[in-house]
Amino acid sequence: MRHFLKETDLTIAETASVFTHAAALKAGRGRNQSTALAKQSWGLLFFKKSTRTRVSFQVGVHELGGLPVMLNADDMQISRGETVADTAKVLSRYLHGMVIRCHEHKLLEDFAQSGTMPVVNALSDFLHPCQFMTDMFTLAERWSKGKPEQYAASLKGRKIAFLGDTACNMANSFVLGGAALGIEIALAGPKGYEPTDEIRQQLKRDGLKETFTFTTDAKEAVKGADMVYTDVWVSMGMEAEKAERLKTMQPYQVNAGLMKLAKPDAYFMHCLPAHPGEEVTAEVLASPQSIIFDQAENRLHVQKAILAFLTR
Ligand code: CP
Ligand code: NVA
């Protein structure tokens, strides 16, 4: 049984095959439907808010022929102290797989270990691998000139700049996934938001060489980048630090001036939700370089391919 808790839970060859399948699912949506989850029921358990992830997984499970069972943690006994292990064991008697958005990454690992069904990380405080995979697919669609068999290869050697909270889950996903795919990840953020020991240890455990750099100079990171990425400055769970973060991260706002330092054909991406005027200007969000809504759409296609892969 396989889980998808982090980018490196798929090999490069498996990532390439997920991309190829996602491209086929996208092209054939509404016609050549896969029935990969026929007669299956998948739980979608959320401890945090969500718009894209919740809807794209619910629709995705349905489109693969399965029944999505929406579970809000607040409505379940787990929020009154039932253990993760018991919850995983009980739900494994009903369901065929589980998609979980949570705070501590360890909950995903404990759930996967105690249950007897595949578990997918729909975002933890540590990583957001479904978003990262989708972001890479969205770039590869463009950089491979639409040739799905070259999606993974088209990413190798590229430079991605990531600005703002360079210690957040999205940044960690770029550090880990970028190393696996051979992409240069140029992080720029304030002192105190450098990549943590936790993500460095993960690279070690996966036997990967670091492909990231960290600087406090936004311009240096963006120079010559093929894509510029940012995420919210106040991630879910960080609300108490809001005032401090909005002040410290100001120099890392992605604006038109900064985008000019990237390659002329560079893309702008954001996992969303965006806060126009904070981490990015409204102008950049709406510019021709911005591919944020294609990115959001692709969550559906890529996640369907991941679910199909886990139940193959
Ligand atoms: N990008 C993303 O995961 O969005 P949601 O928080 O709306 O699911
Ligand atoms: N870093 C953000 C990502 C939201 C999709 C958060 O954790 O809130």
Side-chain angles (χ1 to χ4, degrees):
M1 193 183 37
R2 298 283 294 273
H3 304 290
F4 185 61
L5 307 187
K6 55 184 192 299
E7 288 70 9
T8 44
D9 283 346
L10 295 181
T11 65
I12 298 302
E14 288 168 347
T15 298
S17 86
V18 163
F19 283 172
T20 308
H21 191 201
L25 290 169
K26 183 173 182 175
R29 189 172 179 217
R31 290 178 284 116
N32 309 320
Q33 276 305 296
S34 161
T35 51
L37 302 192
K39 300 200 171 64
Q40 294 197 10
S41 301
W42 276 64
L44 313 180
L45 173 57
F46 286 79
F47 288 84
K48 288 175 173 174
K49 308 269 186 244
S50 168
T51 297
R52 281 142 288 269
T53 309
R54 183 190 303 273
V55 177
S56 57
F57 268 112
Q58 188 168 10
V59 171
V61 170
H62 166 70
E63 289 188 1
L64 292 173
L67 172 74
V69 180
M70 298 306 298
L71 302 167
N72 282 326
D74 276 351
D75 299 332
M76 297 177 62
Q77 298 290 6
I78 198 166
S79 67
R80 295 183 61 249
E82 186 166 21
T83 64
V84 173
D86 284 2
T87 307
K89 283 177 188 148
V90 170
L91 292 181
S92 293
R93 300 287 178 113
Y94 309 132
L95 301 169
H96 299 87
M98 201 69 196
V99 174
I100 305 177
R101 169 168 286 196
C102 60
H103 298 270
E104 272 185 48
H105 190 77
K106 190 172 177 303
L107 183 143
L108 288 162
E109 293 168 346
D110 292 348
F111 200 107
Q113 205 180 354
S114 300
T116 52
M117 57 183 164
V119 177
V120 175
N121 179 358
L123 179 147
S124 67
D125 288 347
F126 186 42
L127 295 167
H128 196 1
C130 291
Q131 183 71 56
F132 175 80
M133 285 282 282
T134 301
D135 296 342
M136 294 306 104
F137 175 84
T138 306
L139 288 170
E141 275 184 316
R142 289 160 172 79
W143 289 340
S144 73
K145 308 226 175 345
K147 294 198 190 89
E149 67 284 0
Q150 285 174 27
Y151 274 17
S154 73
L155 299 165
K156 218 176 156 122
R158 299 279 180 169
K159 177 178 177 179
I160 288 176
F162 186 106
L163 268 65
D165 182 1
T166 44
C168 77
N169 43 15
M170 266 326 303
N172 284 341
S173 278
F174 274 95
V175 166
L176 184 61
L181 288 166
I183 302 169
E184 179 188 346
I185 308 296
L187 305 164
K191 273 207 179 72
Y193 294 89
E194 298 90 350
T196 58
D197 271 353
E198 197 186 2
I199 192 65
R200 288 171 191 271
Q201 290 304 325
Q202 187 60 52
L203 285 173
K204 273 204 190 116
R205 275 197 296 279
D206 285 323
L208 291 169
K209 264 192 16 211
E210 292 179 1
T211 58
F212 75 89
T213 54
F214 174 83
T215 171
T216 53
D217 181 352
K219 290 182 181 159
E220 187 189 319
V222 170
K223 219 167 129 194
D226 294 289
M227 187 269 275
V228 179
Y229 203 99
T230 191
D231 186 5
V232 292
W233 287 342
V234 186
S235 281
M236 291 179 276
M238 296 290 174
E239 289 76 11
E241 299 177 11
K242 185 172 177 181
E244 172 62 24
R245 284 169 166 262
L246 295 195
K247 200 169 86 197
T248 328
M249 300 211 190
Q250 200 56 53
Y252 303 93
Q253 181 191 66
V254 181
N255 54 40
L258 205 57
M259 283 303 293
K260 283 207 178 76
L261 302 176
K263 287 205 179 123
D265 57 353
Y267 294 109
F268 168 76
M269 298 179 86
H270 190 313
C271 54
L272 305 181
H275 293 78
E278 291 182 16
E279 74 276 4
V280 57
T281 60
E283 187 187 2
V284 168
L285 281 165
S287 69
Q289 283 170 290
S290 167
I291 52 172
I292 53 175
F293 297 115
D294 289 340
Q295 214 185 322
E297 179 197 322
N298 282 338
R299 292 290 300 277
L300 173 66
H301 313 303
V302 172
Q303 288 162 188
K304 280 167 73 179
I306 293 171
L307 295 176
F309 173 81
L310 294 176
T311 52
R312 75 207 181 282

